[in-house]
Amino acid sequence: MRSFLKSFCYAFRGIGYQLTYERNFRIHCFAALTVCLAAALFYDFSSFEWCLLVLQICLVIGVESLNTAIEQTDNKITTKPSKHIRRAKDSAAAAVLIFAIGSLVLAYHLFWDVRVFREIIAFFSVWYYALLLAVYVAIILIFVFCRKTYKKGK
């Protein structure tokens, strides 16, 4: 039982590493958070639609994690240029891209509603909601692109 619980610690340590050092992982996490907030505030999704949304988010973030694992392993194997290592890294990155494109297709089908877009614009036309949105975007930009957290090699 103890080793089972330790496996969760390792998984959370991996998430912590990626949040600290992997910019693309942070981008995916904030995109997921933003999409979920928008869905909760402005859309009336069914349970099935929520399941699809959460599943797609988990798939993209999971594949991004696998991409990081492949990159880290390849970087440990050799620092010399290798066409095989490059192909492995490119293929892992392609997997993330494929899942991200799938997310865009799902997002189009779930979110494309001009009536809701008008509602969102009206909502953020109130100055304090617009300010809240600006602060949210600033926090995301700082957290995602902050140089302090984006130093590789640690």
Side-chain angles (χ1 to χ4, degrees), residues 73 101 139:
T73 303
I101 291 169
I139 289 170

Side-chain angles (χ1 to χ4, degrees), residues 136-149:
Y136 178 75
V137 170
I139 289 170
I140 289 173
L141 291 174
I142 289 167
F143 188 72
V144 168
F145 296 106
C146 179
R147 283 299 206 200
K148 255 187 183 174
T149 59

